[in-house]
Amino acid sequence: MSEFLKFIEKAGKVVPSERQLRHMKETPFYAFIHFSPNTYTGLEWGTGEEDPAIFNPTELDCDSWVEAIKSAGMKGAVITAKHHDGFCLWQTETTEHSIKNSPYKNGKGDVVRELAEACRKGGIEFGFYLSPWDRNSKYYGTDKYNDFYRAQLTELLTNYGEVFHVWFDGACGEGPDGKKQVYDFESYFELVRRYQPNATMFKDDGPDIRWCGNESGSSRAAEWAVVPYELCGFCEKQTEGALLEGELKNAYNSDKDIGSLDNIMYSGGLVFCPSEIDMSIRPGWFYHPEEEPHSLERLFKTYINSVGGNTSFNLNIPPMPNGRFDPRDTARLKELGDKIRSSFGDNLCNGAKITRTSLSSTQCEYLVELDGEKEIRFFELEEDIAKGQRVASFRIMSRKNGRWERVYSNYSTIGFKRIIEEHVCCDAFKIIVEASRGEALISKIAAY
Ligand code: FUL
């Protein structure tokens, strides 16, 4: 076997960690909650000079958030414990710029605690966002800021029970004369691993989950979780480079092609790092009364292309100044959940006979003979990703009245999950894997 083929086979054996596997399999769809003084000022990026007295969610009810989140089928909630304005939603000892100086519950309130408890009670996961960029802290721009940030992180990691996801924002809008902060991310990550070993960490470039590269819900046609280390420098390399020498220069998460062969063969080594789509239900991350939630069609499509496109989906719902979700958002979440439940309720492959035939060491075909003629709208495929992501190209054929027809063909990936929306009537279909990095292992074939 040539060295290059060996490299491709190695690429097919780059594997997820337990926590990445759990994230993608058990909690691929969760809520973001952007809540801060911005909710009261209408800004998206606060200045850090807001008076804590403006933060007063008099009707806060985190149980109702959890109920709305669950109605959409989401399995967790990630709250902005501190956004760029530096205001802390919890009882912190690190700064006065916090809820303890707001009138909410006479300064005794703690939104992080209320949400963590509501999540536990409602049976969903709890996570938080802690902005590294802080426009309020007097330490920002000095070494002391790293101590300050670590102290905040430690409070959140140790006082609020189990955390499933910690979100590190890469944004920093300091202008040319702004304060430059050198963030000690390695030491932040070390704290998360120490206190919450099961939590996944999101950051633009890993270590566990990377950014998809946009905030509009767009996805890639081919989404690989196995990507060049040049893109995800915080992940552990699992291979050496291919035969070709050198490294990728300026790889960025918004690139159209991340992880395909053309791309990885120039990389100095590969890592496993799936991406997350983060998007708000409305145009803004924070609440603005004049905005409307996105259409059900757009949200459902984003769901299909994320959770059904080898990517997790973090959908933001911004609370109103009174602390409640806008009824328009609550209604949209319920509609989305209903649409997901009704679309994927009844697996038409139940009772089907599935036969796998190898066509070569890297190609195979799955014949699915259904229990009679069925009207299919969605195909759902999963790879046995614990062993690696391998399928690079596949097609689907369907049979009706003894005739085979092409349903779908594309240069394309499967990964944790791939949902394909195609309307066909057939009594059998075939999944034909045409290219794979080693033996293709499809662990689930469903049709709805
Ligand atoms: C960005 C931030 O600047 C936005 O305000 C928002 O929090 C988004 C999720 O991440 O980088």
Side-chain angles (χ1 to χ4, degrees):
M1 196 191 277
S2 77
E3 288 302 310
F4 191 60
L5 285 178
K6 278 189 205 154
F7 171 74
I8 296 175
E9 226 183 61
K10 274 190 203 150
K13 289 184 178 153
V14 173
V15 291
S17 64
E18 279 295 318
R19 56 176 87 80
Q20 288 172 321
L21 204 55
R22 203 174 323 113
H23 182 84
M24 296 302 287
K25 285 200 166 289
E26 293 171 18
T27 49
F29 185 27
Y30 40 95
F32 223 168
I33 298 172
H34 274 66
F35 198 25
S36 89
N38 292 346
T39 311
Y40 301 83
T41 58
L43 295 178
E44 279 288 314
W45 280 3
T47 61
E49 280 161 21
E50 292 80 8
D51 183 348
I54 62 175
F55 187 86
N56 194 14
T58 47
E59 292 169 45
L60 183 73
D61 173 11
C62 291
D63 291 329
S64 71
W65 292 0
V66 169
E67 204 181 308
I69 287 166
K70 283 167 71 176
S71 79
M74 292 189 268
K75 303 278 193 250
V78 177
I79 187 163
T80 53
K82 175 186 88 171
H83 201 253
H84 309 325
D85 53 47
F87 183 82
C88 298
L89 298 189
W90 77 99
Q91 292 289 331
T92 179
E93 286 176 11
T94 60
T95 173
E96 290 301 303
H97 197 54
S98 83
I99 197 162
K100 71 183 172 205
N101 287 310
S102 100
Y104 179 60
K105 296 194 169 168
N106 293 320
K108 299 274 180 287
D110 189 327
V111 180
V112 173
R113 182 164 312 284
E114 288 193 49
L115 178 62
E117 283 173 2
C119 286
R120 251 184 298 286
K121 194 163 124 204
I124 64 169
E125 302 289 340
F126 162 75
F128 65 84
Y129 160 119
L130 183 69
S131 173
W133 183 31
D134 186 321
R135 303 180 90 179
N136 178 270
S137 172
K138 60 175 188 251
Y139 303 121
Y140 195 81
T142 73
D143 250 5
K144 275 207 171 129
Y145 181 75
N146 281 317
D147 292 330
F148 172 84
Y149 188 88
R150 280 188 290 261
Q152 296 194 326
L153 197 53
T154 305
E155 289 180 353
L156 291 167
L157 292 167
T158 56
N159 290 332
Y160 297 93
E162 180 91 13
V163 173
F164 90 109
H165 199 45
V166 179
W167 219 92
F168 292 100
D169 197 327
C172 180
E174 293 294 330
D177 304 320
K179 295 182 199 162
K180 298 274 173 300
Q181 177 66 47
V182 181
Y183 302 115
D184 186 358
F185 277 110
E186 300 280 0
S187 72
Y188 308 165
F189 297 164
E190 195 272 315
L191 288 176
V192 177
R193 292 287 193 247
R194 186 189 318 165
Y195 295 119
Q196 297 284 344
N198 295 330
T200 42
M201 288 185 255
F202 169 97
K203 192 177 169 305
D204 284 5
D205 45 359
D208 299 318
I209 308 288
R210 72 186 149 87
W211 187 40
C212 67
N214 69 83
E215 294 180 341
S216 60
S218 313
S219 50
R220 286 181 192 84
E223 182 64 57
W224 289 96
V226 177
V227 296
Y229 92 94
E230 291 90 341
L231 183 77
C232 290
F234 286 110
C235 303
E236 207 183 306
K237 258 200 224 179
Q238 295 188 39
T239 72
E240 291 307 313
L243 249 198
L244 300 169
E245 282 173 21
E247 294 204 331
L248 286 176
K249 295 279 175 244
N250 306 318
Y252 196 63
N253 19 33
S254 59
D255 290 351
K256 282 234 154 40
D257 175 20
I258 297 178
S260 75
L261 200 53
D262 312 5
N263 194 255
I264 62 171
M265 68 187 186
Y266 294 99
S267 165
L270 303 177
V271 302
F272 196 99
C273 197
S275 82
E276 174 193 285
I277 285 188
D278 62 319
M279 172 191 177
S280 186
I281 196 167
R282 294 155 165 261
W285 289 103
F286 288 91
Y287 186 73
H288 308 286
E290 68 283 7
E291 290 181 354
E292 291 284 335
H294 296 311
S295 68
L296 174 61
E297 291 66 32
R298 174 157 177 202
L299 294 174
F300 183 64
K301 204 166 190 54
T302 308
Y303 174 84
I304 300 283
N305 292 338
S306 55
V307 174
N310 199 32
T311 302
S312 52
F313 185 16
N314 187 359
L315 175 63
N316 178 63
I317 308 110
M320 302 189 288
N322 68 2
R324 297 289 176 122
F325 284 170
D326 187 309
R328 291 172 291 179
D329 296 352
T330 311
R332 189 52 40 86
L333 289 174
K334 167 83 168 46
E335 279 176 340
L336 177 61
D338 286 346
K339 177 114 176 113
I340 294 169
R341 283 182 288 273
S342 64
S343 302
F344 302 102
D346 186 14
N347 182 359
L348 301 171
C349 292
N350 287 338
K353 185 175 160 227
I354 304 184
T355 324
R356 183 189 201 272
T357 314
S358 257
L359 305 174
S360 75
S361 59
T362 57
Q363 295 170 306
C364 64
E365 181 176 295
Y366 291 82
L367 169 65
V368 183
E369 290 168 289
L370 298 165
D371 180 18
E373 190 174 297
K374 310 274 178 190
E375 191 174 343
I376 298 175
R377 287 176 189 274
F378 298 98
F379 293 89
E380 187 186 84
L381 307 173
E382 289 179 14
E383 276 185 79
D384 184 359
I385 197 86
K387 301 204 173 71
Q389 184 178 352
R390 300 187 182 173
V391 176
S393 171
F394 67 96
R395 63 176 63 226
I396 303 180
M397 308 281 292
S398 70
R399 187 183 69 192
K400 190 177 175 181
N401 301 327
R403 260 179 62 121
W404 283 100
E405 273 184 16
R406 190 180 63 178
V407 177
Y408 179 90
S409 55
N410 196 357
Y411 183 75
S412 207
T413 47
I414 296 178
F416 285 97
K417 195 191 285 295
R418 181 66 187 255
I419 298 175
I420 290 148
E421 190 171 4
E422 288 288 345
H423 189 183
V424 262
C425 267
C426 61
D427 61 16
F429 64 89
K430 277 183 196 172
I431 309 292
I432 306 169
V433 175
E434 293 181 314
S436 176
R437 299 174 180 176
E439 190 190 9
L441 299 169
I442 295 184
S443 53
K444 179 173 178 186
I445 299 178
Y448 301 94

